[in-house]
Amino acid sequence: MLLLFQVGSVFAESKMVGVINDVIGTPYSYTGTTTKGFDCSGFTMYVYGKLGVSIPHASRSQATLGKKIAKDDLIAGDLVFFNTTGKGISHVGIYLGDGKFAHASSSKGVTISALGDSYYSKRYVTARRVMSPQTYEKYADEPSDEPGDGDSD
C-alpha cells in the first residue's frame, strides 16, 4: 500500500514520506518499535530515527519536545497529539500536510487519517515541531534525490 498525496503536494516526494510509505500497513503492537509492529509513539520514534532525530518512546514525553505549534501553523513533519483515553496525551502522529497525519492506529496499524475526522478533531490536544529547520528541509521538505529512497529494510 502506498501513501498517496494530491499531485503537486510539496510533501509528496520527501524522504520522510519514503520512510512512512515503507511501513504503511504495519500492524499495531503495544510497545512496538520495529517494522514487525508499532504503537503510536514507537512509530514516530522509528520514523524520526530513520531521519537522524532521536525522540523518546512515549507520546507524553514526545509532547514535551521541541516547540509548541498552533494547529493553524502545522507543517509536514510536526508531531500531533491526542487525548484518546480521557487522561491526557495518549496518542501521537506525524503531520503530513493537507490536514492529514500518519500514525499507528490500534485498530488499523500504520495508516493515514485526517485531523478533521470527528474522532480525532474532538481529541486533538497540541502539536510540537521537533525537527530543526535544517533537518526539516533535508528530510521533510526536499524531494528525495535517491532512486528507491525508502525501499531499504
Side-chain angles (χ1 to χ4, degrees):
M1 186 184 320
L2 288 178
L3 179 64
L4 300 175
F5 288 93
Q6 295 174 346
V7 175
S9 170
V10 173
F11 197 53
E13 299 296 325
S14 76
K15 292 179 182 183
M16 182 178 275
V17 165
V19 173
I20 293 170
N21 270 339
D22 283 349
V23 296
I24 290 288
T26 299
Y28 180 87
S29 177
Y30 182 70
T31 72
T33 61
T34 71
T35 55
K36 292 181 180 178
F38 292 108
D39 66 6
C40 64
S41 60
F43 165 72
T44 55
M45 186 176 79
Y46 174 85
V47 172
Y48 270 63
K50 287 287 192 181
L51 304 177
V53 179
S54 178
I55 61 175
H57 181 215
S59 55
R60 288 181 191 195
S61 297
Q62 290 177 9
T64 66
L65 302 174
K67 177 183 176 187
K68 185 175 182 176
I69 301 298
K71 196 174 189 179
D72 289 342
D73 296 329
L74 286 169
I75 60 172
D78 288 342
L79 293 176
V80 288
F81 297 91
F82 305 88
N83 177 350
T84 58
T85 63
K87 298 178 182 177
I89 290 170
S90 55
H91 191 63
V92 61
I94 300 171
Y95 187 69
L96 301 173
D98 297 326
K100 306 280 188 197
F101 69 104
H103 61 118
S105 160
S106 59
S107 60
K108 298 178 182 175
V110 177
T111 190
I112 306 301
S113 297
L115 286 176
D117 286 354
S118 62
Y119 179 84
Y120 293 106
S121 65
K122 292 175 187 173
R123 290 163 176 83
Y124 180 87
V125 176
T126 191
R128 305 294 289 198
R129 186 157 301 149
V130 176
M131 285 191 276
S132 70
Q134 294 80 12
T135 303
Y136 170 78
E137 288 175 16
K138 184 175 181 182
Y139 293 116
D141 192 33
E142 291 297 315
S144 173
D145 56 1
E146 300 172 24
D149 184 61
D151 290 340
S152 61
D153 288 350

PDB file of all heavy atoms in Angstrom, residues 8 11-12 26 31 37 48-50 55-56 62 72 93 95 98 102 111-112 118 121 130 133 135 141:
ATOM      1  N   GLY A   8       1.151  17.616  -6.840  1.00  0.00           N
ATOM      2  CA  GLY A   8       1.596  18.965  -6.535  1.00  0.00           C
ATOM      3  C   GLY A   8       1.857  19.202  -5.059  1.00  0.00           C
ATOM      4  O   GLY A   8       2.323  20.253  -4.684  1.00  0.00           O
ATOM      5  N   PHE A  11       4.949  17.850  -0.115  1.00  0.00           N
ATOM      6  CA  PHE A  11       5.444  16.758   0.712  1.00  0.00           C
ATOM      7  C   PHE A  11       5.453  15.419  -0.022  1.00  0.00           C
ATOM      8  O   PHE A  11       5.971  14.443   0.481  1.00  0.00           O
ATOM      9  CB  PHE A  11       4.547  16.681   1.951  1.00  0.00           C
ATOM     10  CG  PHE A  11       5.130  15.910   3.090  1.00  0.00           C
ATOM     11  CD1 PHE A  11       6.384  16.198   3.581  1.00  0.00           C
ATOM     12  CD2 PHE A  11       4.413  14.897   3.682  1.00  0.00           C
ATOM     13  CE1 PHE A  11       6.913  15.500   4.645  1.00  0.00           C
ATOM     14  CE2 PHE A  11       4.930  14.185   4.747  1.00  0.00           C
ATOM     15  CZ  PHE A  11       6.184  14.495   5.228  1.00  0.00           C
ATOM     16  N   ALA A  12       4.896  15.373  -1.218  1.00  0.00           N
ATOM     17  CA  ALA A  12       4.644  14.099  -1.888  1.00  0.00           C
ATOM     18  C   ALA A  12       5.890  13.261  -2.155  1.00  0.00           C
ATOM     19  O   ALA A  12       5.810  12.053  -2.177  1.00  0.00           O
ATOM     20  CB  ALA A  12       3.899  14.340  -3.201  1.00  0.00           C
ATOM     21  N   THR A  26       1.803  -1.688   8.543  1.00  0.00           N
ATOM     22  CA  THR A  26       2.451  -2.459   9.612  1.00  0.00           C
ATOM     23  C   THR A  26       1.455  -2.591  10.760  1.00  0.00           C
ATOM     24  O   THR A  26       0.811  -1.616  11.139  1.00  0.00           O
ATOM     25  CB  THR A  26       3.737  -1.748  10.099  1.00  0.00           C
ATOM     26  OG1 THR A  26       4.637  -1.641   9.005  1.00  0.00           O
ATOM     27  CG2 THR A  26       4.394  -2.518  11.244  1.00  0.00           C
ATOM     28  N   THR A  31       3.674  -1.277  22.695  1.00  0.00           N
ATOM     29  CA  THR A  31       5.105  -1.050  22.950  1.00  0.00           C
ATOM     30  C   THR A  31       5.986  -1.352  21.734  1.00  0.00           C
ATOM     31  O   THR A  31       7.198  -1.330  21.854  1.00  0.00           O
ATOM     32  CB  THR A  31       5.657  -1.807  24.189  1.00  0.00           C
ATOM     33  OG1 THR A  31       5.752  -3.199  23.905  1.00  0.00           O
ATOM     34  CG2 THR A  31       4.803  -1.560  25.423  1.00  0.00           C
ATOM     35  N   GLY A  37       5.867  -4.447  14.198  1.00  0.00           N
ATOM     36  CA  GLY A  37       4.690  -3.875  14.832  1.00  0.00           C
ATOM     37  C   GLY A  37       5.047  -2.606  15.588  1.00  0.00           C
ATOM     38  O   GLY A  37       6.108  -2.516  16.200  1.00  0.00           O
ATOM     39  N   TYR A  48      11.326   9.189  12.911  1.00  0.00           N
ATOM     40  CA  TYR A  48      12.298  10.232  13.233  1.00  0.00           C
ATOM     41  C   TYR A  48      13.707   9.657  13.323  1.00  0.00           C
ATOM     42  O   TYR A  48      14.674  10.279  12.887  1.00  0.00           O
ATOM     43  CB  TYR A  48      11.920  10.940  14.526  1.00  0.00           C
ATOM     44  CG  TYR A  48      11.018  12.135  14.320  1.00  0.00           C
ATOM     45  CD1 TYR A  48       9.751  11.995  13.783  1.00  0.00           C
ATOM     46  CD2 TYR A  48      11.451  13.407  14.657  1.00  0.00           C
ATOM     47  CE1 TYR A  48       8.921  13.083  13.595  1.00  0.00           C
ATOM     48  CE2 TYR A  48      10.634  14.510  14.466  1.00  0.00           C
ATOM     49  CZ  TYR A  48       9.370  14.339  13.938  1.00  0.00           C
ATOM     50  OH  TYR A  48       8.570  15.426  13.733  1.00  0.00           O
ATOM     51  N   GLY A  49      13.848   8.474  13.888  1.00  0.00           N
ATOM     52  CA  GLY A  49      15.152   7.828  13.988  1.00  0.00           C
ATOM     53  C   GLY A  49      15.769   7.587  12.624  1.00  0.00           C
ATOM     54  O   GLY A  49      16.983   7.743  12.436  1.00  0.00           O
ATOM     55  N   LYS A  50      14.948   7.194  11.639  1.00  0.00           N
ATOM     56  CA  LYS A  50      15.435   6.984  10.275  1.00  0.00           C
ATOM     57  C   LYS A  50      15.944   8.282   9.654  1.00  0.00           C
ATOM     58  O   LYS A  50      16.704   8.264   8.696  1.00  0.00           O
ATOM     59  CB  LYS A  50      14.329   6.395   9.385  1.00  0.00           C
ATOM     60  CG  LYS A  50      14.033   4.942   9.672  1.00  0.00           C
ATOM     61  CD  LYS A  50      15.154   4.096   9.142  1.00  0.00           C
ATOM     62  CE  LYS A  50      14.805   2.637   9.134  1.00  0.00           C
ATOM     63  NZ  LYS A  50      15.903   1.820   8.630  1.00  0.00           N
ATOM     64  N   ILE A  55      14.059  10.602  19.458  1.00  0.00           N
ATOM     65  CA  ILE A  55      12.996  11.037  20.366  1.00  0.00           C
ATOM     66  C   ILE A  55      12.622   9.857  21.261  1.00  0.00           C
ATOM     67  O   ILE A  55      12.826   8.703  20.881  1.00  0.00           O
ATOM     68  CB  ILE A  55      11.758  11.591  19.610  1.00  0.00           C
ATOM     69  CG1 ILE A  55      11.131  10.530  18.694  1.00  0.00           C
ATOM     70  CG2 ILE A  55      12.129  12.849  18.806  1.00  0.00           C
ATOM     71  CD1 ILE A  55       9.842  10.992  18.011  1.00  0.00           C
ATOM     72  N   PRO A  56      12.080  10.123  22.448  1.00  0.00           N
ATOM     73  CA  PRO A  56      11.742   9.037  23.378  1.00  0.00           C
ATOM     74  C   PRO A  56      10.520   8.242  22.928  1.00  0.00           C
ATOM     75  O   PRO A  56       9.760   8.673  22.068  1.00  0.00           O
ATOM     76  CB  PRO A  56      11.465   9.762  24.694  1.00  0.00           C
ATOM     77  CG  PRO A  56      11.057  11.138  24.290  1.00  0.00           C
ATOM     78  CD  PRO A  56      11.795  11.441  23.011  1.00  0.00           C
ATOM     79  N   GLN A  62       7.138  12.731  24.210  1.00  0.00           N
ATOM     80  CA  GLN A  62       7.330  13.398  22.924  1.00  0.00           C
ATOM     81  C   GLN A  62       6.635  14.762  22.913  1.00  0.00           C
ATOM     82  O   GLN A  62       7.094  15.696  22.261  1.00  0.00           O
ATOM     83  CB  GLN A  62       6.813  12.519  21.782  1.00  0.00           C
ATOM     84  CG  GLN A  62       7.664  11.286  21.550  1.00  0.00           C
ATOM     85  CD  GLN A  62       7.120  10.371  20.462  1.00  0.00           C
ATOM     86  OE1 GLN A  62       6.185  10.714  19.750  1.00  0.00           O
ATOM     87  NE2 GLN A  62       7.720   9.198  20.338  1.00  0.00           N
ATOM     88  N   ASP A  72      -3.104  25.865  13.299  1.00  0.00           N
ATOM     89  CA  ASP A  72      -3.132  26.580  12.019  1.00  0.00           C
ATOM     90  C   ASP A  72      -1.748  26.740  11.397  1.00  0.00           C
ATOM     91  O   ASP A  72      -1.624  27.110  10.232  1.00  0.00           O
ATOM     92  CB  ASP A  72      -3.764  27.966  12.181  1.00  0.00           C
ATOM     93  CG  ASP A  72      -5.258  27.893  12.431  1.00  0.00           C
ATOM     94  OD1 ASP A  72      -5.871  26.839  12.149  1.00  0.00           O
ATOM     95  OD2 ASP A  72      -5.813  28.899  12.914  1.00  0.00           O
ATOM     96  N   GLY A  93       0.958  11.293  16.225  1.00  0.00           N
ATOM     97  CA  GLY A  93       1.157  11.005  14.811  1.00  0.00           C
ATOM     98  C   GLY A  93       2.051  12.066  14.197  1.00  0.00           C
ATOM     99  O   GLY A  93       2.456  13.015  14.864  1.00  0.00           O
ATOM    100  N   TYR A  95       2.296  14.878  11.245  1.00  0.00           N
ATOM    101  CA  TYR A  95       1.511  15.662  10.308  1.00  0.00           C
ATOM    102  C   TYR A  95       2.144  15.585   8.922  1.00  0.00           C
ATOM    103  O   TYR A  95       3.362  15.663   8.774  1.00  0.00           O
ATOM    104  CB  TYR A  95       1.411  17.118  10.774  1.00  0.00           C
ATOM    105  CG  TYR A  95       0.478  17.937   9.930  1.00  0.00           C
ATOM    106  CD1 TYR A  95      -0.893  17.709   9.959  1.00  0.00           C
ATOM    107  CD2 TYR A  95       0.961  18.924   9.089  1.00  0.00           C
ATOM    108  CE1 TYR A  95      -1.763  18.451   9.180  1.00  0.00           C
ATOM    109  CE2 TYR A  95       0.110  19.681   8.305  1.00  0.00           C
ATOM    110  CZ  TYR A  95      -1.260  19.432   8.352  1.00  0.00           C
ATOM    111  OH  TYR A  95      -2.116  20.162   7.558  1.00  0.00           O
ATOM    112  N   ASP A  98      -1.933  19.044   4.199  1.00  0.00           N
ATOM    113  CA  ASP A  98      -3.293  18.872   3.667  1.00  0.00           C
ATOM    114  C   ASP A  98      -4.254  18.277   4.698  1.00  0.00           C
ATOM    115  O   ASP A  98      -5.188  17.544   4.340  1.00  0.00           O
ATOM    116  CB  ASP A  98      -3.283  18.005   2.403  1.00  0.00           C
ATOM    117  CG  ASP A  98      -2.492  18.643   1.267  1.00  0.00           C
ATOM    118  OD1 ASP A  98      -2.509  19.885   1.164  1.00  0.00           O
ATOM    119  OD2 ASP A  98      -1.860  17.903   0.500  1.00  0.00           O
ATOM    120  N   ALA A 102       0.019  10.716   9.671  1.00  0.00           N
ATOM    121  CA  ALA A 102       0.336   9.288   9.699  1.00  0.00           C
ATOM    122  C   ALA A 102       0.474   8.883  11.152  1.00  0.00           C
ATOM    123  O   ALA A 102       1.043   9.619  11.967  1.00  0.00           O
ATOM    124  CB  ALA A 102       1.633   9.020   8.945  1.00  0.00           C
ATOM    125  N   THR A 111      -1.329   3.919   9.443  1.00  0.00           N
ATOM    126  CA  THR A 111      -2.322   4.390   8.497  1.00  0.00           C
ATOM    127  C   THR A 111      -2.269   5.909   8.401  1.00  0.00           C
ATOM    128  O   THR A 111      -1.526   6.562   9.132  1.00  0.00           O
ATOM    129  CB  THR A 111      -3.736   3.908   8.922  1.00  0.00           C
ATOM    130  OG1 THR A 111      -4.657   4.174   7.883  1.00  0.00           O
ATOM    131  CG2 THR A 111      -4.191   4.555  10.226  1.00  0.00           C
ATOM    132  N   ILE A 112      -3.077   6.457   7.509  1.00  0.00           N
ATOM    133  CA  ILE A 112      -3.216   7.897   7.341  1.00  0.00           C
ATOM    134  C   ILE A 112      -4.643   8.271   7.735  1.00  0.00           C
ATOM    135  O   ILE A 112      -5.599   7.614   7.320  1.00  0.00           O
ATOM    136  CB  ILE A 112      -2.998   8.321   5.868  1.00  0.00           C
ATOM    137  CG1 ILE A 112      -1.666   7.802   5.330  1.00  0.00           C
ATOM    138  CG2 ILE A 112      -3.099   9.837   5.719  1.00  0.00           C
ATOM    139  CD1 ILE A 112      -0.456   8.242   6.074  1.00  0.00           C
ATOM    140  N   SER A 118     -14.049  13.277  12.779  1.00  0.00           N
ATOM    141  CA  SER A 118     -14.709  13.632  14.038  1.00  0.00           C
ATOM    142  C   SER A 118     -13.991  13.027  15.243  1.00  0.00           C
ATOM    143  O   SER A 118     -13.838  13.687  16.265  1.00  0.00           O
ATOM    144  CB  SER A 118     -16.180  13.230  14.016  1.00  0.00           C
ATOM    145  OG  SER A 118     -16.309  11.834  13.866  1.00  0.00           O
ATOM    146  N   SER A 121     -10.610  15.120  15.620  1.00  0.00           N
ATOM    147  CA  SER A 121     -10.800  16.552  15.865  1.00  0.00           C
ATOM    148  C   SER A 121     -11.265  16.809  17.295  1.00  0.00           C
ATOM    149  O   SER A 121     -10.861  17.791  17.910  1.00  0.00           O
ATOM    150  CB  SER A 121     -11.777  17.164  14.856  1.00  0.00           C
ATOM    151  OG  SER A 121     -13.063  16.628  15.011  1.00  0.00           O
ATOM    152  N   VAL A 130       9.610  19.287  16.274  1.00  0.00           N
ATOM    153  CA  VAL A 130      10.779  18.669  16.885  1.00  0.00           C
ATOM    154  C   VAL A 130      12.012  18.817  16.010  1.00  0.00           C
ATOM    155  O   VAL A 130      13.122  18.970  16.506  1.00  0.00           O
ATOM    156  CB  VAL A 130      10.500  17.172  17.182  1.00  0.00           C
ATOM    157  CG1 VAL A 130      11.720  16.478  17.716  1.00  0.00           C
ATOM    158  CG2 VAL A 130       9.323  17.051  18.151  1.00  0.00           C
ATOM    159  N   PRO A 133      15.018  23.500  11.643  1.00  0.00           N
ATOM    160  CA  PRO A 133      14.735  23.910  10.259  1.00  0.00           C
ATOM    161  C   PRO A 133      15.626  23.203   9.241  1.00  0.00           C
ATOM    162  O   PRO A 133      15.175  22.848   8.159  1.00  0.00           O
ATOM    163  CB  PRO A 133      15.006  25.424  10.280  1.00  0.00           C
ATOM    164  CG  PRO A 133      14.777  25.824  11.702  1.00  0.00           C
ATOM    165  CD  PRO A 133      15.239  24.649  12.533  1.00  0.00           C
ATOM    166  N   THR A 135      17.001  20.136   9.518  1.00  0.00           N
ATOM    167  CA  THR A 135      16.560  18.743   9.385  1.00  0.00           C
ATOM    168  C   THR A 135      15.259  18.691   8.598  1.00  0.00           C
ATOM    169  O   THR A 135      15.076  17.842   7.730  1.00  0.00           O
ATOM    170  CB  THR A 135      16.378  18.097  10.768  1.00  0.00           C
ATOM    171  OG1 THR A 135      17.608  18.188  11.479  1.00  0.00           O
ATOM    172  CG2 THR A 135      15.972  16.638  10.646  1.00  0.00           C
ATOM    173  N   ASP A 141      10.933  18.266   3.618  1.00  0.00           N
ATOM    174  CA  ASP A 141      10.500  19.232   2.623  1.00  0.00           C
ATOM    175  C   ASP A 141      11.112  18.975   1.260  1.00  0.00           C
ATOM    176  O   ASP A 141      10.454  19.115   0.249  1.00  0.00           O
ATOM    177  CB  ASP A 141      10.871  20.642   3.111  1.00  0.00           C
ATOM    178  CG  ASP A 141      10.212  21.732   2.286  1.00  0.00           C
ATOM    179  OD1 ASP A 141       9.090  21.527   1.819  1.00  0.00           O
ATOM    180  OD2 ASP A 141      10.828  22.791   2.111  1.00  0.00           O
TER     181      ASP A 141
END
